[in-house]
Amino acid sequence: MAERPQHVPVLLDRVLELFAPALADRPAVVVDTTLGLGGHAEALLKAHPQLTLVGLDRDPQAIELSSKRLADFGDRVKFVNVTYDLIADALDDLGLSAVDGVLMDLGVSSLQLDAQDRGFAYSRDSPLDMRMSAGTGQTAADVLNTYPPGDLVRILRDYGEERFAKKIVSAVVKEREREPFTNSGRLVELLYAAVPAATRRTGGHPAKRTFQALRIEVNEELESLRLALPAALSVLKVGGRLVVEAYQSLEDRMVKRAIAELSVSRSPQGLPVELPGYGPEFKLVTKGAELANEQEIEENPRAAPVRLRAAERIKEAS
């Protein structure tokens, strides 16, 4: 077996449990839309010997590393280097029209967080990059150094839910005029100075929300997710399941809304019977968003913010 990266998938047992009814004891296909280091994928392939897994990832390095990890599964794994909003196109290229499961493990991957030169982590000084598709598109430094102040305030407020966005942006603009930003360490120092001490004591690391906002902007994450959710739901067979792990409230709200819209009747209220073709297409498998328990968080601290939701297709799209 190939050497495996040290990586603990979030809520792995629960993810396996949720997929089991759709995959057990039959030929089935699952799409892991955020393959990363392949932890969830490996567990699913081991649990279901007749399973074929399609692994998508926008990061070429993730495809390279996970292909080594999953090499022993041979042609049971198909790798595609695309963003997950292109799930339907990826399946079409493989000759697949519908699948039995879709997994979306959102946000930044362990591979990216742990990379010294990618700029995702605020705990170490590194280039302000934050691109998930390494080497393509604008960087976090480009955003900080070139965006008008009003756009920076909007990004920090909308994507980072940062209360002190105006104060932070004012400091950023002053500093970038003196010298453009290149590394994360200088930005972290600025954020420590800009965020009030009382908030630092109770609100977590002062850089968390700004780094989140920059990462989302650089990678157009929310726009990609907005397109990916209906696409993922549309490729599921009847009995197929969508399982989503979100790590921040903006993403979780989008997931909740997308699932809920297809899980209720569209018949006019007050009718004594369901109109044909107007019934719900999905049923909710989880009751609200499920959280990691204390033991899971202790074993894997990156599970602390997770919000897990799942739904099952119960009828064909009308």
Side-chain angles (χ1 to χ4, degrees):
M1 181 70 84
E3 184 179 350
R4 298 168 187 165
Q6 293 301 309
H7 166 53
V8 182
V10 172
L11 294 179
L12 178 59
D13 291 343
R14 183 57 175 149
V15 168
L16 292 175
E17 181 183 13
L18 288 166
F19 274 124
L23 309 180
D25 304 320
R26 75 198 74 158
V29 178
V30 162
V31 184
D32 184 342
T33 66
T34 48
L35 185 60
L37 289 171
H40 284 111
E42 181 181 44
L44 285 164
L45 288 160
K46 284 183 175 179
H48 304 287
Q50 299 182 71
L51 177 67
T52 297
L53 185 134
V54 179
L56 313 184
D57 207 292
R58 66 192 297 172
D59 189 342
Q61 188 181 12
I63 296 291
E64 178 186 356
L65 292 173
S66 59
S67 65
K68 293 176 182 177
R69 179 176 189 161
L70 304 175
D72 287 354
F73 297 102
D75 62 5
R76 292 176 59 201
V77 191
K78 316 295 182 185
F79 300 95
V80 189
N81 181 203
V82 293
T83 54
Y84 52 36
D85 55 306
L86 298 177
I87 180 173
D89 292 340
L91 291 175
D92 187 57
D93 289 344
L94 294 170
L96 297 168
S97 58
V99 299
D100 304 276
V102 176
L103 172 64
M104 306 180 79
D105 187 9
L106 305 177
V108 63
S109 73
S110 295
L111 165 65
Q112 292 155 347
L113 276 173
D114 293 337
Q116 295 286 339
D117 59 347
R118 303 288 289 275
F120 288 99
Y122 42 76
S123 58
R124 65 178 73 92
D125 188 29
S126 59
L128 273 170
D129 193 312
M130 299 194 193
R131 292 173 294 180
M132 290 180 177
S133 302
T136 61
Q138 68 179 352
T139 67
D142 294 332
V143 172
L144 274 179
N145 292 325
T146 66
Y147 274 33
D151 287 347
L152 286 177
V153 170
R154 173 186 55 79
I155 289 165
L156 264 59
R157 281 180 173 168
D158 291 354
Y159 299 164
E161 300 177 290
E162 175 56 74
R163 289 187 296 150
F164 304 103
K166 279 191 173 182
K167 186 175 182 182
I168 290 168
V169 169
S170 177
V172 165
V173 171
K174 183 177 179 180
E175 278 295 302
R176 76 185 188 185
E177 289 175 354
R178 183 175 66 84
E179 181 183 350
F181 285 90
T182 57
N183 278 45
S184 59
R186 182 172 165 224
L187 176 59
V188 171
E189 287 181 11
L190 180 150
L191 294 167
Y192 263 107
V195 175
T199 300
R200 294 202 305 268
R201 287 192 293 270
T202 59
H205 197 288
K208 178 181 178 181
R209 289 173 293 278
T210 294
F211 271 60
Q212 173 182 298
L214 290 172
R215 190 199 79 221
I216 289 173
E217 173 67 14
V218 166
N219 297 290
E220 300 180 327
E221 290 178 45
L222 294 184
E223 176 61 14
S224 184
L225 181 59
R226 184 185 68 81
L227 298 171
L229 285 166
L233 291 163
S234 72
V235 301
L236 285 169
K237 300 175 182 177
V238 172
R241 291 188 166 193
L242 172 72
V243 177
V244 186
E245 295 179 306
Y247 297 84
Q248 43 108 340
S249 60
L250 295 170
E251 290 175 336
D252 184 52
R253 286 198 292 270
M254 292 175 69
V255 174
K256 178 182 178 180
R257 190 179 309 118
I259 295 174
E261 287 175 354
L262 295 176
S263 301
V264 295
S265 172
R266 292 177 291 115
S267 291
Q269 291 185 356
L271 292 182
V273 294
E274 186 87 68
L275 289 178
Y278 281 74
E281 294 179 20
F282 284 81
K283 69 174 183 180
L284 302 180
V285 180
T286 52
K287 187 176 181 180
E290 295 185 359
L291 313 179
N293 60 34
E294 291 183 5
Q295 181 180 347
E296 169 97 14
I297 294 170
E298 184 177 344
E299 294 173 356
N300 185 8
R302 289 176 183 170
V306 73
R307 301 291 184 270
L308 183 148
R309 297 181 188 270
E312 178 181 321
R313 179 174 286 282
I314 57 174
K315 67 181 289 288
E316 295 287 355
S318 54

